[in-house]
Amino acid sequence: MWGPKPYYSLDYYLKQKFGHKVYKLCLNGGMTCPNRDGTVGRGGCIFCSGGGSGEFAGRPEQPVPEQMEYARSLLMKKPEGMTYIAYFQPFTNTYGPVEYLREIFTEAIRYPDVEVLSIATRPDCLGDDVVELLSEINRIKPVWIELGLQTIHEDTAEFIRRGYPLSCFDEAVEKLQKAGIDVITHVILGLPGEDEERMLETVEYLNLKGIQGVKLQSLHVLEQTDLADYYRKGGFRTLEMEEYVRIVIRCIEHLKPDIVIHRLTGDGPRELLIAPQWSAAKTRVLNTIHKWMRENESFQGKYFTGI
């Protein structure tokens, strides 16, 4: 169904929609987060690094067009007809005045050959005025909103200091859907206190929400985070690669077949990564997942029972 991969990959989706591979340009809008500045909390989520999970993005002092030009120059392959996703990644990228958001998002979609505007944010930072702006831009270029859910379980959410209840996520998804905007949800596997069944419950919950995409990754322990302190004190252990492969494949098998998988594993900055070290070998992890799925006739939605 999805080309050579046994799941609905982002690469396959983009090639079907645009007719060719589309490359991501990671941008920095220079915003912070209500979970850092005291509005919701301080210090951010327990796993969030000083870079706001955007170490690969541009520098906030640079204008957006300059960031995009630099990001494009880093691409190893430069085929004719290359097109892009403008991706605002670090911190909370709708946490600012609407006038400022309009300025930077408009600059991004006006950059030559941009196909999509992708924005990472929190569900509690999507006021009606922001959603109205996103809807307006969505009529010009497709807009994707990436929401950092991580888990549906409130006790885990409290531990990781997510700073909003599950009902807030539900309301944001409904609001974005009414505006015709695609929603991609981030899920972290291996959070402290979560066993395999609880992780699967998060994925199965998303099957009910009508989202368009999902990002799955193992929990990373990074320097300069409170999670690192907890880890070094022996508070929990990270997943072994074999465990992660088994769990993520089970999640894929229960995932609704029309949800695009934007990510199956993460590769945090090597200079900050404490554990698990195997996650730095992204190609090896993906090859292991693909090999196991091929040998065991596994595929996305194999155990999806419908809604």
Side-chain angles (χ1 to χ4, degrees):
M1 292 175 61
W2 309 289
K5 295 175 183 174
Y7 56 87
Y8 197 179
S9 70
L10 175 61
D11 184 61
Y12 181 83
Y13 168 79
L14 291 170
K15 287 178 179 177
Q16 292 299 303
K17 185 171 180 64
F18 300 110
H20 53 260
K21 187 174 180 65
V22 182
Y23 295 82
K24 188 172 289 184
L25 304 179
C26 294
L27 308 172
N28 192 327
M31 281 165 267
T32 182
C33 174
N35 206 15
R36 284 178 173 268
D37 68 5
T39 302
V40 171
R42 294 200 179 275
C45 294
I46 193 171
F47 52 77
C48 191
S49 66
S53 300
E55 281 77 14
F56 301 118
R59 300 197 307 273
E61 66 272 15
Q62 282 187 307
V64 167
E66 289 184 18
Q67 290 188 46
M68 299 182 79
E69 195 64 32
Y70 177 71
R72 189 174 70 164
S73 74
L74 297 179
L75 295 173
M76 296 177 64
K77 297 180 181 179
K78 299 180 175 63
E80 291 297 322
M82 179 180 285
T83 61
Y84 309 101
I85 298 167
Y87 179 34
F88 285 89
Q89 182 180 23
F91 299 108
T92 303
N93 290 282
T94 58
Y95 190 49
V98 171
E99 296 77 14
Y100 175 69
L101 301 180
R102 181 185 299 277
E103 177 186 343
I104 62 172
F105 296 160
T106 300
E107 287 179 328
I109 64 170
R110 284 180 177 170
Y111 188 81
D113 302 315
V114 165
E115 304 275 20
V116 176
L117 175 65
S118 185
I119 302 165
T121 190
R122 291 169 56 90
D124 55 357
C125 293
L126 288 166
D128 291 343
D129 54 347
V130 172
V131 174
E132 184 177 346
L133 170 63
L134 298 175
S135 179
E136 178 185 325
I137 297 172
N138 193 48
R139 291 192 288 271
I140 304 169
K141 292 282 178 74
V143 174
W144 298 346
I145 293 297
E146 300 193 10
L147 298 177
L149 175 66
Q150 320 310 355
T151 178
I152 63 167
H153 301 290
E154 300 288 11
D155 55 340
T156 309
E158 183 177 355
F159 173 77
I160 65 175
R161 301 198 307 251
R162 190 178 65 190
Y164 68 83
L166 183 60
S167 59
C168 180
F169 170 80
D170 293 339
E171 291 164 7
V173 170
E174 183 177 355
K175 186 185 296 188
L176 291 167
Q177 288 172 337
K178 287 180 178 177
I181 297 169
D182 283 4
V183 177
I184 296 123
T185 304
H186 293 216
V187 174
I188 294 179
L189 304 177
L191 290 167
E194 295 221 340
D195 60 16
E196 192 169 327
E197 294 307 314
R198 281 165 67 88
M199 297 178 220
L200 191 61
E201 285 168 4
T202 292
V203 169
E204 291 183 327
Y205 185 84
L206 294 178
N207 285 335
L208 305 173
K209 304 311 296 182
I211 64 168
Q212 284 68 48
V214 67
K215 285 186 170 182
L216 303 170
Q217 75 166 68
S218 175
L219 176 66
H220 289 157
V221 182
L222 301 178
E223 296 284 3
Q224 305 169 20
T225 65
D226 291 340
L227 185 66
D229 296 335
Y230 185 53
Y231 176 76
R232 286 181 169 127
K233 291 175 182 175
F236 72 103
R237 70 173 187 85
T238 56
L239 296 173
E240 299 294 337
M241 190 179 87
E242 294 75 14
E243 290 179 287
Y244 180 74
V245 168
R246 184 188 71 247
I247 292 168
V248 79
I249 290 173
R250 193 171 176 209
C251 289
I252 295 168
E253 291 177 333
H254 284 79
L255 187 67
K256 194 177 177 187
D258 64 356
I259 295 177
V260 179
I261 297 177
H262 287 237
R263 180 173 65 200
L264 276 181
T265 184
D267 54 345
R270 291 174 183 265
E271 66 275 14
L272 297 179
L273 182 65
I274 299 171
Q277 285 295 318
W278 57 260
S279 67
K282 185 175 181 180
T283 300
R284 177 184 170 220
V285 179
L286 289 172
N287 287 343
T288 302
I289 292 170
H290 295 159
K291 181 175 184 290
W292 194 98
M293 293 186 75
R294 183 173 61 251
E295 291 177 349
N296 291 275
E297 298 183 348
S298 174
F299 55 89
Q300 183 176 339
K302 183 175 183 178
Y303 299 116
F304 174 68
T305 56
I307 297 173

